[in-house]
Structure formats: structure tokens, C-alpha cells
Amino acid sequence: MEDPRQRLLYVATFVLSGLSHISNRVLSPFMPKLGETFEYEDTNFKFQAEQISSSPCVTASHAKGKLFEIHFTFDPKFTFWGKSFEIKFQSYGLIKLWVNGKEEIYVIILPSIIVNNLMTGKVFTCLGNELLCQNTTTNESVDIKFDASEEKEKNVYINTFIKDVDGNNLYQLYGRWDKEICLTDFTRKLETVLWTRTAEMIDAAHQYNFSEFTLQLNYFNLNKLGGLRLTDTRLRSDIRALELGLIAQAENEKKLLNEQEVSMANQRGVKKYQPKLFEKQKILNEFVFAPLSR
């Protein structure tokens, strides 16, 4: 893929695909405990995350493969609007790609997440504001806006264009961020399906609407517990209950763990937590959390 503008749309689609899971998720999330970790590695990439602050809530994450590297710090700000509840992410993400041996760095500003109809009607989740994806190497960007309508079927559609200096359309990115995203190449007169959401499992509603892949990430071999940190999220009692489809028990366990977290925070006072997996690193004149150098 030689055209950097086309790569830009591929990166934007990748980010959107990671948000598709929220469309049917209306239960409150499992809030990570301070110091909670998750690590995963296979032949394609390595991923790790750590809850580095509980008040405010901040999660550092990092993924790296042969031709990419991703830094994301999730620091949500919660706002109650009466009939809706909004989550805004204050930090931006960074995605590095290696193209023909050269590095490209993309800055990602995530859209907000909105839970609608808290008082009446069917509760649903949608995306607000816009997704901004900028290639800082070429200084090109794409801005994908989301319909602010309170109707779910209007919010899920996206339609954005990349034009040349004369205003002619080069590419069109369109579809539904919760189901399928397509790309039109006007120069070559080609249409391509870039991403399709994996079909939900039959009992998805009883599994927090996790995909099959996500549920497999929660799996661990009882004979290999020694390979997990004691802080690993897969050892949480509420997560284990959720794995078995015991929703009520999972919610109760989650509530208990949250109460324990508040109690520990009060005991800790102003003492600052020192991350075990991450350290601050300066990229593009801003500080991000990167894996500790070993």
C-alpha cells in the first residue's frame, strides 16, 4: 500500500473496529483495581496493560508487533447529562507503522462514548463527537464525525472522503462502525470491505457482549498459574463468574471489589503508586507510557 492517504483510512478503520463492541454494551464496566495487569503474547504481537491510577482512573496499554507499535492511555472523564451518560478520553493514542523500513507515527483522538435513554426507553450506547486520526509524518489527517442524534440507527453510520488538492474525491470510507466498514478507491474504481464485525455468539448478552476472541483472552490453564502475575485481571473473582455466565454473581463480586478498592485508597492516602510495567517516555514532545526497559 504505497499511498499514505489510503493507509490513513486503514488505521482509522482499525481504531473504529476496536470500538464496535460498545454498541450493545450498557452494563457498567469492570473497573480495574490499582495495579491490576494484563499480559498477552503470541507469534504476531505482545500486549500489556496496567491500571496506574484509580482516582482519577488511568490505564496504560502497549502493543507491539513486527511492523507496528501502539501506545494508548485510557483516562476517562465521566459526565452525567440527565438522560444520558458520557465518557470522554482525555489523552490521545499513538500508532507507529514501519512502511518500507521507515517509521510513520499516527496520533489518535478517540470519540466519546455515550449511554442514552437512562430514564425511559431502551438503553443503547453510541459514539459522540468525532474520531481524529493524523499521520504526523505526512501531516495528513482524517476526521470522522458521528451523528449526535439520540436514535441509534442514525449514529452508527459513517461517511467521509479524502480529496486531492483540487477537491476531487480520492477515497471514500463508509459503512457502520458497529458492523462493517468499506473503502472506495475512485482512482482505480475499486470497492473493498476493510472490516466486518465477527458474528456475536448466541449467548452474547449473558457474556457482557464479549466476542469469542475476548472471552478466550480471559482463559488460562490452571496448570500454568505460575506464569501469571498475582495482579493479573484473569484471577479476579467477578471475571471468573462472568466466564460462567453468572451475571448476578459477577455484579455482586464486582461491587465487593470496588468497595475494597475504595477502602485501600483511603488507607494509602496521598502516596503515589509506582507502575510495575510502564514508565513515561517522550514521543512527539508529549509524554506517553511505554514498557519498562529491561
Side-chain angles (χ1 to χ4, degrees), residues 47-90:
F47 174 84
Q48 55 189 39
E50 180 178 5
Q51 187 74 1
I52 59 175
S53 174
S54 57
S55 182
C57 177
V58 181
T59 306
S61 68
H62 177 265
K64 187 172 184 178
K66 293 180 180 179
L67 298 175
F68 71 89
E69 186 173 1
I70 303 173
H71 298 263
F72 261 103
T73 299
F74 298 95
D75 50 355
K77 180 181 179 181
F78 305 95
T79 306
F80 179 63
W81 296 109
K83 294 190 299 181
S84 64
F85 184 78
E86 185 175 17
I87 305 170
K88 288 185 177 180
F89 299 100
Q90 301 174 85

Side-chain angles (χ1 to χ4, degrees), residues 84-153:
S84 64
F85 184 78
E86 185 175 17
I87 305 170
K88 288 185 177 180
F89 299 100
Q90 301 174 85
S91 296
Y92 60 73
L94 291 177
I95 296 179
K96 296 181 182 179
L97 297 181
W98 281 270
V99 183
N100 297 325
K102 297 181 180 180
E103 180 185 83
E104 289 186 345
I105 301 179
Y106 296 79
V107 169
I108 309 297
I109 299 179
L110 293 173
S112 61
I113 298 174
I114 304 172
V115 182
N116 289 294
N117 294 345
L118 295 179
M119 300 302 180
T120 59
K122 184 178 180 180
V123 180
F124 71 92
T125 308
C126 67
L127 299 180
N129 301 321
E130 58 197 17
L131 166 68
L132 176 64
C133 181
Q134 180 184 15
N135 183 337
T136 63
T137 305
T138 64
N139 204 30
E140 295 168 318
S141 64
V142 62
D143 187 359
I144 301 176
K145 299 186 185 314
F146 303 97
D147 193 314
S149 171
E150 293 185 359
E151 298 180 31
K152 180 176 181 179
E153 287 304 309

Side-chain angles (χ1 to χ4, degrees), residues 170-290:
L170 295 176
Y171 300 102
Q172 178 188 16
L173 191 71
Y174 66 95
R176 294 179 57 131
W177 58 263
D178 66 336
K179 288 187 177 180
E180 184 177 270
I181 298 177
C182 303
L183 174 72
T184 298
D185 183 335
F186 292 99
T187 303
R188 296 189 295 169
K189 297 181 180 180
L190 293 175
E191 292 196 14
T192 307
V193 177
L194 296 189
W195 166 80
T196 301
R197 183 178 175 179
T198 304
E200 290 186 344
M201 298 182 297
I202 297 176
D203 59 346
H206 297 288
Q207 301 279 10
Y208 200 58
N209 285 296
F210 282 159
S211 66
E212 184 177 2
F213 174 73
T214 304
L215 287 175
Q216 291 302 313
L217 292 178
N218 283 331
Y219 172 80
F220 62 85
N221 190 327
L222 289 173
N223 296 321
K224 296 183 179 180
L225 282 178
L228 291 179
R229 294 175 185 268
L230 295 178
T231 53
D232 196 284
T233 189
R234 284 162 284 196
L235 300 178
R236 286 179 57 145
S237 57
D238 51 356
I239 295 293
R240 304 320 315 159
L242 184 65
E243 283 279 284
L244 299 174
L246 304 174
I247 303 299
Q249 181 179 330
E251 287 291 321
N252 290 333
E253 293 285 348
K254 179 177 68 173
K255 181 179 178 181
L256 178 61
L257 289 173
N258 288 342
E259 291 173 350
Q260 292 175 351
E261 182 74 359
V262 172
S263 176
M264 291 178 65
N266 292 334
Q267 296 176 27
R268 192 165 49 247
V270 296
K271 186 177 180 181
K272 195 172 183 180
Y273 172 76
Q274 184 65 36
K276 302 297 187 298
L277 302 180
F278 291 90
E279 62 185 356
K280 281 191 174 181
Q281 184 181 102
K282 200 170 187 179
I283 301 178
L284 297 178
N285 295 318
E286 295 289 343
F287 285 101
V288 299
F289 285 97

